[in-house]
Structure formats: C-alpha cells, structure tokens
Amino acid sequence: MVSSSLRIHELCKHYGDFVALAPTSLDVAKGEFLTLLGPSGSGKTTMLSLIAGLAHPDAGRILIDDTDVTHSPAYARDIGVVFQNYALFPHMTIEDNIAFPLKMRKVADAEARRRTAEALETVHLPHVAKRYPRELSGGQQQRIALARCIVYRPAIILMDEPLGALDKKLRDQMQLEIKRIHRELGTTIVYVTHDQEEAMTMSDRICLMNAGAIEQLGTPQDLYFRPRSVFVADFLGESNLLSATVRGVDGQGLDIVLTAQAAASRAVGNGSRFAAGEPIKVMVRPQNLVVAEAGGGQLSGRIMDVMISGSLTRLYIAPETAGLPQLVAAHPTRSGSAPYEIGQRLSLGWHAADAVAIHDGGI
Amino acid sequence: MGAPLVLLLVLFLVYPVGQLLLLSVYGDNGFTLAPYRQLFASSVYLDVLLITLKISLATTLVCVVAGYPIAYLISVVGKERKATLLFWVLLSFWTSFLVRAFAWIVLLGRNGVINKTLISLGIISSPASLLYNFGSVLVGMVNALLPLAVLTMLSVMENIDRTLPRAAATLGARPGMAFWKIYFPLSLPGVAAAGIMVFVTAIGFFIVPALLGGRRETMITQLIIDQVQQTMNWGFAGAISVLLLVVVLVVFAAYDRLLGLSTMTGASAPRNAAPSRLSGPVQKAGDALLALLGAISDRILLLLPSRRRDRNPDQAGMGLQAFVWTMLLIISAPTILMIPLSFGTGGLNWPPQGFTLHWYETVLNSPLWTQAVLRSLLVGIGTGVLAMLIGTPAAFLLVRSEIPGKAAWLAFILSPIVVPRMIIAVGLFYVFAQMGLVGSAVGLVLGHTVVAVPYVVMTMMAVLRNYDTRLDHAAQSLGARPFATLRYVTFPILGAGMMSSFLFAFATSFDELTIALFATGGLNATLPKQFWDEVTLQVSPAIAAVSTCLFVFMGLLIFVAERLRRRAAAR
Ligand SMILES: Nc1ncnc2c1ncn2[C@@H]1O[C@H](COP(=O)(O)OP(=O)(O)OP(=O)(O)O)[C@@H](O)[C@H]1O
Ligand SMILES: [Mg+2]
C-alpha cells in the first residue's frame, strides 16, 4: 500500500495583479481524504494545479513525504490527477488509456495487461476495454479516468470536481465507489468540489476556501457545528444567524444578549476567544430550532411559508420582534400530524448547547 | 434556394471543364486520340509532370514541417500574442502571390539584398546566381503556401483539448513523450489536411515557377498556358488538363483511402475523429515510432541545462519562439523590403538610395494601371455581391433544412477548390469565346464567383450554425414583422460574418490571375493581369510601387476583416 503525506508551506500564486492563491499552508496526512471546498473562483483548481506541478507557484514549498518537489516536473511527482473533464486520450482505446501510465513507467507488457484488467475490474467495467472514450457514457468515462489513475498506484491522488458532470443518482453511486477505492488502497486523496453535501459525506477533513485563502480547516463536524466565521456558517448548510453581544465568558460557554430582544441567554463558543462586550453572531441550525404552540420559548413568530421536501419539513418564520431576520426551522416530516397554516403563531426556542457564537464578520 | 448556385456551377464549372475534357478526344474530325499520342510520344511531357510532382512534394514537405511549429505556437500562446502572430500569417496569406514572387525576384537578384549582404560580409566576392533554379522556385512556393498550411493545421490544433498533454504529464510522461504520443497523433488530421491542400494547390501553380524558375522548372500548368496562348491547340490543352486532373483525383483517392476525406475540412474535432484506418501492423509500427521519437526528444531535453527543463510549463520554449519568428520574418520580409525600394532612385538595387515619388507618379499617370485598378475593384465588388447573393441562400439551406444527400451537395459546392484553377480557367475561356464574354467584366465576375463561392458558403455556414434562431422567434413574439426582425435582430448579429465573407470573396477576385490571364488583356486587364504582363516583360521599380500599394491595401483589409470577425465572435 503506497501512500504519502503532503505538506504545503506558504504557497502562493498570482496571475498578473490578481491573487489566485494567497500564501497558504496545509498539511495532509498519509491516507487522509481531504476535500477542498469553496465557491467558484476561490482558488481550488489553482491549488491542485500547483500540487500536481501543472502550474508554478510564485513562492512557497510543496513537500511529499518530506521531499521538496516544488520544482519537480509533473511527470516526476508520482501524483495522480483525475481531471474535471476526464482528459481521456480520444485516440487510444480504454485499455491503452489505462496502460499509458504503466508504459511510461516501463512496466513489462504482460504485467501491464494484468494490472489494466485488474483496474477495469475495480471500476466494474471490464467489458469496455476495446472501446474508444467517445463510445462510453459520462459516468463510464469518469470511472475509466479513475481506473487510469489508480492503476499505477500513485502516492497521492488529486481529483478536481470529478463528479461535476454527472446526474444526482450517478453522483451518489460514484461517491460510494471513490470512498470504497480510498478504503481499499489507502491512498492520500485531495478532492475538489463545490458541493457541500458531497464534501460532508466523503471527507476526513474539509478545507474551506474563500478568495484564494483558507477560511477554515477541520473535520466536517467541526465546520458544521463550530464554524469559525459567518462565511463558513453560511456556506455549509442552512443557518439562522442572530446578532448578539457577549456579556461574559466562563468555562462552559458565554453569557450573551440578543441585540433585538435585550434578553439574556447562553451560547457555546466555536473554539476561538471572545471578549466581554464584543458584538457576535449566534448561529442556530434549523433542525435545532424548536417550535411549539405559541407561548414560552425565547421568541415568537408567524409562519410565512412551509416547504416539505420529502424527509424534512421546513418552516420559514417571521419573528414578531423587530430587527430579526426571517428564520428557518426544520424537523423530520411526520405523517398525520396537524398541518401548519400560513400565518399561524408559534414560539421558537433552542438549547444553549445548540447556539454557537461566531465572531461577527460583518455580513 | 440553392438553385442559383447549382445553376452557376453547372454553367460555369461543369460545362466548361466538361467541354475542355471533351475537346481532348473530340477534334474537328470526330473522335481522336491524337492529343494523347502526342502527350506520350516523347518523354518531354512526362518529365514536366515528374518535375511538377517533385516541386509540389518538396513544397508540401517544407510547408508542413515548417508550418507545424508555427501553428503549434499560435495555438498555445495567450490571446494577445496569438493575435500578433496570426496577423503576420494572415498578412502573408492575403498578400498577392504575384507580389510575393516579385519580391523574391528582387531579393534574390544579382544586386538584391542577399547578394549585397553576402558580398559586404566578405562571404562571396561576386554575386551568386540565386534565381531561376530549383531552390528559388522552392523558396517562392513555400512562401506562397506556408500560410495556407499554418492556417489549416491551426484549425485542428485549436480543437485539441489542452488538458490532455497535462494529463499525460501527471501520468508520468516526460514532455517529449507527451508530445509525440498524445499531442502529435491528435494533430495528425490537421497535418494531413494541410498536406493535401498544399500539394493540390502546388500542382496547379504557375506564377512562382514562371517568375522564379528556369526552363528546367517548368510545371504542368505552364504547358497548358503555352498551348492556349501560343498555339491555340485546344485538344492538346485538354489532354494535359485530363492528365493534371487525373493526378489530383488519384491524390484525393489515396488520401481518402488512408485517412478519410472527412478529415479534410479540418472541422472534425480530434475528439470524434474516426480511429485511423491504418490497421494492425502499420498501427503498431506507428506507435513504436512515436514512442521512439518521444524517448529521443526526452534524451535531448535531458541534455539541456536543468534550469530550462524546470521552466514554467505554461510557457513555450525559447527555441520554438525563435524558430517561429524567423519563419514569419522570412515570409514577410521580402514584401516589406519592397517598400523602401519603391521610393528609391537607385532602381531595385540594394540598398535603396535617395527618395522619389517618381514611380508612384508613373503608375498613376499610366492608363494601363489606373484602368486595371478600376476594373479589379469593379470585378471584385461584383464578385463579392454575386457570391453573397448566391452563396448565402445555399448556406441557409444547408444549415437549416434537412436535404437528402447533404454531403454530396457540399462536395459539389466545394469542387471549385479541388479542380485545379487552370483547368477551370481554360474551360471558361473556351466557353466565353463562344458566348462573346471574353474580356468582359461580366465574364470575369462569373468566373471569379465560381471560385469564390465555396468560401462564402463555408463561412456563412459557420456563421449560421452559431446563430440562435430562437432570437428570431423571440423578436417575432415581441411583435416584430419579418422585415423588422431582419433589420433589427438578424442582420445586426449576422452582419459582421456576412461582411467578412464578402471581403473574402472580394479579396479572392482582387488577387485572381488564372482566369483573368486568358480572359483579359490590354486596357481591360485586371490588376493582377496587368502586374503579370509587366513583370514578365521587365522588372521595374514601378512594380515595387504597385506592390507596396497592394500590400498596404491588403493589410488594411485584413485589419478590418479581423475587427469584424472579432466583433462577431465577441457576441
Ligand atoms: N490562467 C489564469 N489566468 C488568469 N487568471 C486565472 C487563471 N487561472 C485561474 N485564474 C483566476 O484565479 C481564480 C481562481 O481560479 P480557480 O480555477 O483556482 O478557481 P476554482 O476555485 O477552481 O473555481 P471553480 O469552482 O469555478 O472551478 C479565478 O478568479 C480565476 O479567474
Ligand atoms: Mg476549478
């Protein structure tokens, strides 16, 4: 089982005056599945190209297993790349495509044939060996691209939105397949997507990028439940964000006052330091917003809209207190319960442990 | 809608060429094979054919080999550098063959730049004779056809997915291997298309061998000219035409067998290119050869200082750039050197001396030249208008509706490009003589339209394919009547594309010599014909003055056309 660690140190890249990647450092452990997540143009592809050696950094270093490869050419890095558009060679059969990296490594013919067949087995497509790439469907091409990458057991695999072009069902299937291959081979994988759900389900850690820099790096749970910034809270899943001020900080959490309501309540921190008097945002995820018949709870409001999306029921609620944004609450859909009515009054509340304090980034 | 085009091609392509071919077997006394007996009686004519093939092959080889790096560089550099490089290729492409050939006469002459420079450097002591030999013909031919080769290959290279060589690099291929095993095979359709375009054009060439070659570099089309102009031996001219046509058709047939004609338009993106028809052992040998080339290139690259190997993968190598600019300089410089000479008092000797407008005055005061300019403008505009009127509806038909046998129709419409121009010209001359159209502007416009209309149809088809018809429907649903739709929506969007195909047709006519060669003369000569008559008579600075004017005029035209094209593309 080959697998390497990857270390990026103060790597940066400009295009003219434009900073595509601000000086960035990142460590990926051996065998880890790390996802680069971020909005379009945030520098994900730039980062991958630098790691793969397809673009040259302006400064910084890249180390694979503590060997400096910053200036090594792409062909010498032992990194596999699965390109967004697959980049299968149109003039070669599937077999030849997969055997190409083996040929480049001067693997003997018989051995190359054996490993090619094996790779085709792994992606469940042994019957397409003699075809040309254009004779395959998008999902099949995708799997061949994957096979071409795993056949030579690169120490690190980079994938740039490999599932971007597939429909929902095929995506789900391929996600499982990639996870399975990752488990079986134990290869280090750096994966790019801008689909937050995909990132959450697949990754050991997520590196959320914004405007050419890392916004937050951590496990999916970290990012989801303890976002360091309003941007992270907003980007990963739905969230309710309420303005508040810190009153005091103790071992268990924070005493806060909601700005709109002047009522004291509690919140938990997100791992960073808060000071008394500091303006913050309090984040409550929709599923943690508890709705009840009017009366009690921290707030009350009226239902503006109800959306039932299969497993979840979402309520969009306008608080009666002035100065609060529209809130969203979600709970599993129950059949046979009394239907909600637009305009109905409800009270809203949350557990202190579900209210997360975030530094106010001014959004 | 396609009827006018079909009528035009039947009347002024099929009929005249058919007539000419018929004349070779049907003389005054009925059926005869005499012209063919004459053709094969001695080895004279076959020798000419061999020389023609030799020159054409050499030209093709040099054009493809030298053009490949140029097209490659243009396809990989950034937008602005690309525009610059492309401008020089296009300028050369559009500068009249006559002007370019004439420039080489001056350049290679006894007192030309090259001899003078070599003497002043002390490399030779007396002027070498550089003209009227195989070398000078080859230089002229390559200069004439290199831009065509570059543009043809470029159309394929631009469609090659840039991530493929990068993917190869991540899979462990060194640069040489990535090029030879991935990029090169994908660019082969372009190479093949360029090869056949150059070869077929070269076979039908006469300007360059006539101006730059000696007697031993006579090409087959020159024989046809002699037969028509000197002996009026139609039967024999027909027989030589048949020979020429057979050679061209054999070349096309061989090409089709090997690679398939569909690759010829260069339009077929490599992604859906048919797998090569070369089977089994040939393919294996080809693979092995490419792998070997890759390995060798990589060995060579390893010898270079390591700083070079580690350079930014986004940048093209210095060696490549130097080569490309040298080639562009070689094909542009001769024409540009005409400019100082045309203002000089020292004749066409290098270096230019003094400053005078005398030669320009001579040209302006000569009714022969002024008439020729007027006539060429008239015929050019007429050709542009007629080709648009006939070609646009046909393009509409081919793009918008499903007609049976589309491919065959397209082949028919493109046939004026395939049939050697000389055969069309001689046939037209014969037919025009019967109709009393020789020397008339109408005859010229008709003839030029036949050769320009395929380009118009192709350009307009490309333009129309990119046009979203839903815009028309949207306009109509918003209350625009058909005419208003045309005026406010369709035309403003298609306008730039139409203008550039008009310019294309105009330029084709403006530079056309073959048809004008027979059909005009004296005061009703077109500009290229007048140029030709002068240049075959004597090489004078007045011609340098005309060349300069033509060069500047064409430069402006390309500039305008490029602007229009880009405006159209920006939408
Ligand atoms: N070759 C280039 N020249 C100039 N700017 C570039 C170049 N490549 C990328 N950029 C810019 O750098 C920024 C980051 O690009 P990058 O491709 O890394 O984004 P991304 O995060 O992969 O986005 P997406 O999700 O859309 O793929 C973008 O604003 C892009 O416009
Ligand atoms: Mg990207």
Side-chain angles (χ1 to χ4, degrees):
Chain A
M1 205 148 297
V2 274
S3 161
S4 295
S5 66
L6 173 70
R7 166 169 297 180
I8 290 165
H9 186 73
E10 295 294 303
L11 203 62
C12 81
K13 176 77 180 173
H14 298 246
Y15 289 110
D17 293 338
F18 181 78
V19 184
L21 190 66
T24 298
S25 300
L26 175 67
D27 281 342
V28 187
K30 205 181 257 238
E32 184 175 357
F33 194 118
L34 180 104
T35 297
L36 300 179
L37 177 68
S40 190
S42 55
K44 307 181 295 287
T45 300
T46 304
M47 173 102 90
L48 273 206
S49 314
L50 294 175
I51 298 174
L54 298 172
H56 266 231
D58 299 327
R61 297 197 304 150
I62 302 168
L63 296 101
I64 296 179
D65 278 344
D66 300 324
T67 315
D68 191 329
V69 297
T70 316
H71 300 290
S72 315
Y75 57 81
R77 290 195 186 189
D78 198 25
I79 285 182
V81 181
V82 178
F83 291 82
Q84 178 161 14
N85 65 353
Y86 318 139
L88 298 179
F89 305 130
H91 60 304
M92 294 182 185
T93 59
I94 296 307
E95 212 170 33
D96 291 344
N97 260 286
I98 299 178
F100 184 84
L102 300 175
K103 237 186 206 164
M104 293 302 113
R105 286 167 176 72
K106 306 220 163 27
V107 175
D109 269 2
E111 167 75 359
R113 263 198 298 280
R114 193 186 61 70
R115 281 168 65 177
T116 302
E118 200 178 276
L120 278 168
E121 288 289 345
T122 312
V123 296
H124 305 305
L125 284 173
H127 56 286
V128 303
K130 301 286 179 207
R131 294 199 210 162
Y132 284 89
R134 65 177 170 284
E135 296 165 336
L136 301 189
S137 72
Q140 290 171 327
Q141 292 189 22
Q142 162 62 45
R143 280 189 272 174
I144 297 305
L146 199 57
R148 186 176 68 176
C149 193
I150 58 176
V151 73
Y152 62 102
R153 300 286 158 85
I156 299 174
I157 295 180
L158 311 178
M159 302 190 188
D160 195 351
E161 299 193 34
L163 308 182
L166 306 185
D167 62 50
K168 179 87 181 84
K169 195 149 183 185
L170 207 50
R171 269 174 97 98
D172 292 348
Q173 214 176 326
M174 286 303 301
Q175 285 177 5
L176 287 176
E177 200 119 333
I178 292 173
K179 278 304 278 182
R180 179 177 62 83
I181 289 169
H182 177 237
R183 252 196 328 274
E184 283 172 12
L185 304 182
T187 314
T188 311
I189 293 184
V190 180
Y191 188 93
V192 167
T193 180
H194 55 222
D195 177 339
Q196 40 121 346
E197 230 170 279
E198 192 169 294
M200 300 278 288
T201 53
M202 299 186 70
S203 330
D204 295 328
R205 282 193 303 161
I206 294 176
C207 173
L208 183 60
M209 305 202 43
N210 184 25
I214 296 181
E215 189 78 24
Q216 187 172 350
L217 176 65
T219 63
Q221 287 76 11
D222 272 349
L223 267 71
Y224 188 76
F225 292 112
R226 296 286 180 270
R228 287 300 185 89
S229 65
V230 173
F231 176 85
V232 179
D234 226 32
F235 195 85
L236 277 183
E238 277 180 304
S239 57
N240 296 299
L241 292 164
L242 305 169
S243 299
T245 310
V246 181
R247 271 295 149 82
V249 184
D250 56 45
Q252 277 78 48
L254 300 89
D255 287 315
I256 57 167
V257 177
L258 289 182
T259 312
Q261 215 186 13
S265 65
R266 293 278 294 174
V268 294
N270 64 352
S272 43
R273 292 171 55 89
F274 292 90
E278 183 187 342
I280 56 164
K281 293 277 187 200
V282 174
M283 180 197 77
V284 183
R285 293 289 182 190
Q287 68 273 27
N288 297 331
L289 206 55
V290 187
V291 295
E293 297 288 315
Q298 279 112 317
L299 297 168
S300 56
R302 286 181 188 283
I303 298 181
M304 300 299 290
D305 212 341
V306 182
M307 269 170 52
I308 302 178
S309 61
S311 54
L312 276 188
T313 298
R314 281 194 181 74
L315 303 175
Y316 292 89
I317 299 165
E320 285 175 343
T321 322
L324 285 179
Q326 177 171 294
L327 303 177
V328 53
H331 60 73
T333 306
R334 282 176 294 260
S335 69
S337 60
Y340 291 105
E341 279 166 34
I342 307 276
Q344 188 181 339
R345 262 192 95 213
L346 291 172
S347 72
L348 300 161
W350 58 83
H351 298 294
D354 293 328
V356 184
I358 303 171
H359 290 294
D360 193 346
I363 292 182
Chain B
M1 282 202 291
L5 178 56
V6 173
L7 196 68
L8 177 86
L9 292 185
V10 167
L11 280 184
F12 300 107
L13 178 75
V14 178
Y15 176 65
V17 171
Q19 272 286 325
L20 180 63
L21 302 186
L22 198 65
L23 281 171
S24 72
V25 289
Y26 198 82
D28 297 333
N29 311 317
F31 180 80
T32 170
L33 280 178
Y36 291 95
R37 259 180 247 123
Q38 188 185 350
L39 194 59
F40 296 106
S42 70
S43 68
V44 177
Y45 302 109
L46 285 182
D47 283 347
V48 171
L49 179 63
L50 283 183
I51 289 170
T52 307
L53 291 177
K54 186 173 120 189
I55 293 176
S56 304
L57 266 180
T59 305
T60 307
L61 206 67
V62 177
C63 281
V64 169
V65 171
Y68 193 95
I70 304 180
Y72 176 77
L73 186 67
I74 295 178
S75 75
V76 299
V77 293
K79 245 196 190 124
E80 275 156 41
R81 304 243 333 272
K82 177 186 200 134
T84 316
L85 287 165
L86 209 52
F87 176 81
W88 287 104
V89 174
L90 284 174
L91 186 61
S92 182
F93 182 75
W94 282 116
T95 305
S96 169
F97 291 133
L98 281 165
V99 170
R100 281 183 278 164
F102 169 73
W104 279 107
I105 299 181
V106 176
L107 204 69
L108 296 175
R110 294 189 72 75
N111 294 315
V113 182
I114 294 183
N115 265 322
K116 287 285 184 179
T117 311
L118 289 179
I119 289 174
S120 70
L121 289 176
I123 295 172
I124 52 175
S125 53
S126 61
S129 63
L130 302 170
L131 268 177
Y132 312 124
N133 54 41
F134 183 76
S136 59
V137 172
L138 189 60
V139 165
M141 295 286 280
V142 168
N143 189 176
L145 297 174
L146 186 67
L148 176 68
V150 170
L151 294 176
T152 313
M153 287 190 273
L154 184 61
S155 67
V156 168
M157 288 181 182
E158 284 194 314
N159 286 324
I160 296 179
D161 185 351
R162 298 282 303 142
T163 52
L164 294 176
R166 288 159 163 249
T170 67
L171 293 170
R174 290 167 175 279
M177 201 58 100
F179 176 81
W180 287 108
K181 290 285 286 183
I182 306 298
Y183 192 90
F184 184 71
L186 290 174
S187 68
L188 267 183
V191 173
I196 194 163
M197 288 301 287
V198 170
F199 188 75
V200 170
T201 316
I203 272 189
F205 237 56
F206 68 94
I207 296 173
V208 169
L211 294 183
L212 294 174
R215 255 164 35 92
R216 271 177 303 147
E217 284 78 40
T218 304
M219 286 176 68
I220 198 162
T221 35
Q222 291 171 271
L223 287 184
I224 303 181
I225 299 178
D226 286 348
Q227 293 308 316
V228 174
Q229 285 193 328
Q230 285 162 23
T231 55
M232 278 287 193
N233 187 344
W234 291 103
F236 196 48
I240 304 174
S241 300
V242 168
L243 185 64
L244 178 59
L245 200 57
V246 165
V247 170
V248 170
L249 291 180
V250 165
V251 171
F252 269 105
Y255 182 92
D256 187 39
R257 268 203 75 89
L258 279 176
L259 302 149
L261 271 182
S262 61
T263 55
M264 228 209 78
T265 49
S268 64
R271 197 164 267 283
N272 29 14
S276 163
R277 298 193 193 176
L278 305 172
S279 52
V282 184
Q283 173 118 42
K284 280 238 172 61
D287 270 0
L289 179 68
L290 291 176
L292 182 70
L293 280 172
I296 293 174
S297 328
D298 285 324
R299 281 289 145 71
I300 296 172
L301 287 175
L302 277 177
L303 295 178
L304 296 175
S306 64
R307 189 184 56 77
R308 292 279 305 280
R309 267 187 286 132
D310 292 345
R311 65 153 188 266
N312 191 336
D314 295 336
Q315 277 168 13
M318 292 305 291
L320 176 63
Q321 300 205 30
F323 174 82
V324 168
W325 280 111
T326 310
M327 286 312 296
L328 290 179
L329 188 72
I330 291 176
I331 60 173
S332 314
T335 332
I336 294 173
L337 289 179
M338 283 309 98
I339 299 173
L341 287 177
S342 71
F343 291 107
T345 51
L348 289 171
N349 298 334
W350 194 259
Q353 290 151 14
F355 179 86
T356 174
L357 289 176
H358 172 71
W359 302 113
Y360 288 88
E361 282 162 17
T362 313
V363 171
L364 278 179
N365 291 331
S366 150
L368 280 176
W369 283 110
T370 49
Q371 282 293 331
V373 170
L374 285 179
R375 192 161 181 91
S376 272
L377 285 175
L378 179 75
V379 171
I381 292 171
T383 302
V385 170
L386 187 63
M388 288 301 290
L389 284 180
I390 290 179
T392 312
F396 258 99
L397 192 69
L398 284 167
V399 170
R400 294 279 168 84
S401 56
E402 276 311 317
I403 50 169
K406 206 180 234 182
W409 282 113
L410 205 57
F412 179 57
I413 291 170
L414 296 186
S415 60
I417 302 180
V418 175
V419 177
R421 182 81 57 91
M422 182 56 72
I423 298 181
I424 302 178
V426 176
L428 276 177
F429 183 39
Y430 185 80
V431 171
F432 282 172
Q434 294 169 338
M435 299 163 71
L437 282 178
V438 173
S440 71
V442 176
L444 276 175
V445 168
L446 286 170
H448 287 178
T449 303
V450 168
V451 295
V453 84
Y455 298 105
V456 170
V457 174
M458 280 200 292
T459 324
M460 285 312 294
M461 278 177 72
V463 169
L464 287 173
R465 270 204 204 96
N466 292 331
Y467 180 73
D468 187 348
T469 42
R470 282 174 307 183
L471 294 175
D472 285 349
H473 299 158
Q476 279 164 12
S477 74
L478 294 170
R481 290 170 183 283
F483 181 74
T485 308
L486 218 59
R487 168 152 158 44
Y488 291 109
V489 179
T490 320
F491 192 73
I493 296 176
L494 292 183
M498 292 176 75
M499 193 63 201
S500 64
S501 27
F502 170 82
L503 286 179
F504 209 109
F506 173 82
T508 306
S509 161
F510 198 71
D511 189 31
E512 209 291 328
L513 174 61
T514 321
I515 293 172
L517 187 67
F518 304 113
T520 66
L523 272 179
N524 63 17
T526 60
L527 192 53
K529 179 62 176 13
Q530 171 63 18
F531 196 110
W532 172 258
D533 287 344
E534 285 281 322
V535 96
T536 43
L537 214 64
Q538 58 160 340
V539 175
S540 88
I543 302 180
V546 177
S547 295
T548 303
C549 295
L550 274 173
F551 186 67
V552 171
F553 180 66
M554 275 302 171
L556 280 176
L557 218 56
I558 299 167
F559 189 74
V560 172
E562 265 303 292
R563 268 289 156 87
L564 287 174
R565 200 187 57 72
R566 237 179 274 168
R567 234 180 61 193
R571 268 194 249 275

